[in-house]
Amino acid sequence: MANELHKPQNTNSYFWATLGVLHSTIKWLVKRRFLFFLGLLTSILVALSLSANHWVPFDPEQMAAGPRLKPPSSSHWFGTDEFGRDIFSRIMVGMRLTLQVGFVSVCISLSIGMTVGLIAGYFGGWLERLLMRAMDVLFSFTEILIALALVAVLGPSLENAMIAIGIAAVPFYARVCYGAVLVERNKPYTEAAISIGASHARIIFYHLLPNVLPIMIVVSTIGLSNAILAASGLSYLGLGAQPPSPEWGAMLAASKNYFQRAPSLLFIPGLSIMTIVLIFNLLGDQLRQMLDYNDQGKHS
Amino acid sequence: MTNYLVNRLFGALLTVWVTTLAVCFLIHLVPGDPVQIMYAQSATTTPEQLDLIRHNLGLDRSIIHQYIIYMSNLLNGDFGTTIRGQQPVLDLILLRLPYTLWLTITALIISLIIGGVAGFFAAYKQGQWLDRLLMSSTIIGISIPPFWLGLMLLAFFSVNLGWFPVAGDGWLSLILPATTLAACQAATIGRIVRSTMIDIFDQDYIRTAYAKGLSKPRVLGRHALRSGMVPIISILGMQFAYMMGGAIVVEYIFSWNGLGRLAIQAIFQRDYPLIQGFILTFSIIVVLVSVLMDVLYASLDPRISRK
Amino acid sequence: MKVIKTILITLACITTVATSAKVFSADDIIWARYGDIDTLDPHRSTSTLSMQVWNQIYEPLLARDSEGNIGPNLAKSYSVSGDGLTVSFALNDNIKCHDGSEFTSKDVIFTYERAFSTSNPSNTKSAWGPIKDVKANGELAVEFTFNTPFGAFIPFMADPFASMICDSNEKLGKSYGTTAAVGTGAWKLDNWVKGDKIELSRNDSYINLGRLADNKGAPKMKRLIIKVMPEGQARLAALQTGEVHIAEPPLESVDAVKSNPKLDLFIADNTGQDVFFEFAISRPPFNDIRARQAVAYAIDPDMALDIVFEGLVSREYCTVAQGVMGNDPDFCKSVGYKYNPEKAKELLAELGYSVSKRLEVNMMTWTGGNREKLLQVFQSQLKQVGIDAKIEVMDIGSLNARVKQENNITEGPGSFDLMGWSWYDPDILYQLWHSPGAYEGYNTPELDALLDKTRSTTDPKKRLAVVQQVQKYLIEQAVHVPLYTPGWMWLYGINKNTTGLKFEPFNQPIFLDVTIK
């Protein structure tokens, strides 16, 4: 990007410099227009969901006997559920829960996973073997089992589901981070830092971490979609969000009895989950492609 | 080769051992008194009986003692007794395990066929519309919540059209759950097959085969496919593990009488011995299969075993 | 790869063959219900799920006809002494237990002594009444002597809870009630696969001495299979395909059953069922009447019932159900709590709760019957007055044990539950609320005295007056908040090819006449 900067003209050099930067940014964005679009979409959705409680047309928890199981109409855009609650409002408020669960789980997995990966990759030796073995064992449990086991003992709730999924995904993040650290460790700049006597902490936080971060971000977006799928799965089973929470997985669970009477109950929450997951998967895909282009020498 | 085998076996045993540790101590994560929670189910359990149960489980002794009791029971084949109905956990698990295996293996085969065929043709027609179509459908495939897909298939084909029974034990009731399980994994397999095949098509030996004058089907079938299979096997173990996990939810949706459905019921009923037995069994199966797959892979690709 | 594939396919085929071996034959009646029995021992459970099955395996001494009149069964006649303190039964001759042994007065005494055992009494021991002694007058006559006259004893002798247990069950030890049960009923126990099904087969030497059926001998069909199918949609689908002959349809699909030409819908009336809220009073907040009243004021049962049941149930204001003596909607409505969320908020404020300090409680019920949905509506109503109720649903056996447990602990969040009981007589109030009580819950000396009077008063008019006093007490104290009736398993979807299914009063299906085309 830097090499595309225009050379400033003789007069009004700042003006042309700014123009130049703008031009490059726009060119970059246009080139990556899909990524830009996805990023914009995500930000809009996040903003909408965070403010959902303020702008939704109905109280997501308000029950009424009259308008039950109604199909989409002008007053209820997505129809109503078996308690007469407005589905659109519930979906919008539920979006905040969905994003929240995904985000928190990923934060947990990322922080623990990166710690393990950085320590194992940097220090090596017995610590490396121990930690990576532990990750292998945890990995063979499969995420679902760990999540189920934790929810089974801690009790069903959305918070416990978040924690369970967060912990269950740690081996995945740890492995990726570990692999990335190994690559960076062999690079010249690390050797240089070690030879000038930089402390462990400095090397890890100042040199390794920033270089490992891009790949971790890519992995996180895909991890986010997995976390969302896992959380809605647990809520569907009744092990995550509890009533009257408008979590999308829980909404799907209730739809089972009303297939024929109110199909919108089945389609809409599922479609919502799929849309958000799709967006993050595409985002991750785009970021990964971008990373591969920047990092020459890697296959896609 | 033997070195490799020993290494893998050691790793497997280690995993199983750690599982028993985790499973045994899982009960301590329960907020409150686990024995009281468990036995809230039995109307006739007196406080004296509760103490006896606590003693038998070793919960009133040290942690090491508990583990010893647990392991000695396990090695004797005693996985404990369920709270509801007082049945031996092992019997119940073995009763339902075949159903889960049946479902998982069928789904695995289906996903291999679909993913394999799709990936192969996508690689063959790389860059053309077929490739693009298949690859975009895989992204959608991994984005669909599997429980939603299952629900929709159930709603449409079972409840609406009545083609398949809503619940049951036979092949007919297996089709929908297996398809649901297979659908999401087929996407992943498809992508891997595609990238593997693309690499292979580029290889020199393929070009040599063509140069020798061999027909297309011969080249593709005999040479390309064979070497393409090998990387697939390497991920087969992991795919199996994912499917076992996915089977839990799918069994619940389709009322399929397998281990997963049993586990979910156990979780709702706070039947901890059954939950422990389930986790242990699940882990053992997954580890066993992955070792098997690794050994198979090693036998096919000598480079691995010679490391 | 090929080798593996072959092995796998073979395994799969073998599994299919093995599992398809269990096929139901054409001589079976298949009945699907939402839950499993707790036990085969009539003294160890109180659930309707269990009771309906005992009623096939065992027989009580007396039986009810279609109008509810008590008539003979195992006992060919009974007589009550003038002072009401002695009840004598003359037993029918030649009744055989399933294992071939004769049914005599010894079995009656065995059942009674077992129910009254000091170490492990029956869950429904108090329903027997204040019995002083039981003795046999030979092989075919039994005499019960009472401390005080107990009018509800005769109706109880026609109830499945008073099923006669053959004394040969004693040598079964621990397996009695779990894997084996010997009775004199029309169906013998073959197998109970817990959580899955109960397999009963015809008792060929059965003689119908008083049950509600035209058939005076053994059942027409060979086997009765009672399956557990918790999923409502699965039961409905199985009904529609004919896999299952009798099943409770999911409440949302009742219209689908009515409009299906291959199915009939049977609605059991006179179920004696009453669904109500009760509270754990061993600790705050529900040891204070104001907290209980707050809940009673906060809920709007009419709206809740409308949303959840769409007219399939009716509002019940009394603590005894429609059709039972003492049921008087106008009277009960006048002493009950009406929907008044403002009053609820006031009471909560008195107790120290506010917008910032909300009251957190546990609200429990048992699976099925749309009860979880009902609790969700109540949860939303309670939230509006400042009560955050967490919903817990479990099977009926667990709920019964849990309620008892909650009534005995002194710490922890407040707990209350949606409970259901069905009974043919207001004596149920004695069983529930006279110390120690079915759940060891609320009781007071004042209430005990009133309840004692309901048992000792023989004149029907005077008894009714006392029963109404008890009801007023319970409702005003908000310990028994009546909600609706019927509550569970009162709807039956029956395949049109299945004829002859009859129902004794209080929702007891009888399969003696059933034939399937």
Side-chain angles (χ1 to χ4, degrees), chain A residues 61-66 68-69 82-85 156 242-244 256-261, chain C residues 231-233 250 252-253 303 306-308 310 370 372-374 376-377 379-380 383 390-391:
Chain A
E61 292 182 13
Q62 187 175 43
M63 300 183 175
R68 294 173 57 240
L69 300 171
E82 69 274 22
F83 291 113
R85 299 180 291 203
Q242 298 295 302
K256 215 167 16 156
N257 296 324
Y258 302 100
F259 284 160
Q260 283 138 331
R261 283 169 72 175
Chain C
E231 296 282 310
Q233 291 295 323
E252 306 81 24
S253 310
M303 172 177 138
D306 198 14
I307 291 181
V308 175
E310 302 173 284
N370 282 20
E372 183 168 4
K373 266 184 76 176
L374 185 62
Q376 285 192 40
V377 182
Q379 182 191 48
S380 128
K383 195 165 180 192
K390 185 166 120 155
I391 299 176

Side-chain angles (χ1 to χ4, degrees), chain B residues 157-217:
Chain B
F157 289 108
S158 282
V159 178
N160 232 9
L161 290 178
W163 287 1
F164 303 101
V166 171
D169 291 344
W171 274 111
L172 208 58
S173 348
L174 182 64
I175 294 180
L176 285 184
T179 315
T180 311
L181 250 190
C184 308
Q185 300 295 5
T188 321
I189 292 179
R191 294 189 128 197
I192 296 176
V193 167
R194 175 182 176 269
S195 61
T196 319
M197 282 294 145
I198 287 178
D199 281 342
I200 289 179
F201 285 156
D202 249 351
Q203 297 281 340
D204 285 341
Y205 71 89
I206 297 289
R207 249 181 271 138
T208 320
Y210 278 126
K212 283 208 286 187
L214 293 173
S215 64
K216 242 202 202 144

Side-chain angles (χ1 to χ4, degrees), chain C residues 398-435:
Chain C
S398 307
L399 180 68
N400 281 331
R402 178 75 183 275
V403 172
K404 213 191 232 175
Q405 198 185 50
E406 291 286 335
N407 274 329
N408 280 310
I409 59 182
T410 47
E411 281 181 352
S415 149
F416 70 111
D417 54 280
L418 187 73
M419 181 56 79
W421 271 82
S422 81
W423 209 256
Y424 45 84
D425 184 275
D427 195 56
I428 180 63
L429 298 175
Y430 186 100
Q431 291 179 55
L432 285 175
W433 302 112
H434 189 288
S435 55

Side-chain angles (χ1 to χ4, degrees), chain C residues 159-214:
Chain C
D159 194 271
F161 283 129
S163 291
M164 288 294 130
I165 307 174
C166 294
D167 63 5
S168 38
N169 282 307
E170 185 158 27
K171 49 178 155 41
L172 291 174
K174 270 177 80 179
S175 60
Y176 173 58
T178 50
T179 50
V182 176
T184 57
W187 301 93
K188 294 195 280 201
L189 175 73
D190 275 350
N191 196 11
W192 173 23
V193 182
K194 295 190 183 62
D196 196 13
K197 60 182 178 220
I198 303 150
E199 289 172 332
L200 305 174
S201 60
R202 164 168 73 204
N203 176 7
D204 290 308
S205 44
Y206 177 71
I207 308 168
N208 179 3
L209 296 162
R211 306 307 293 269
L212 189 67
D214 300 324

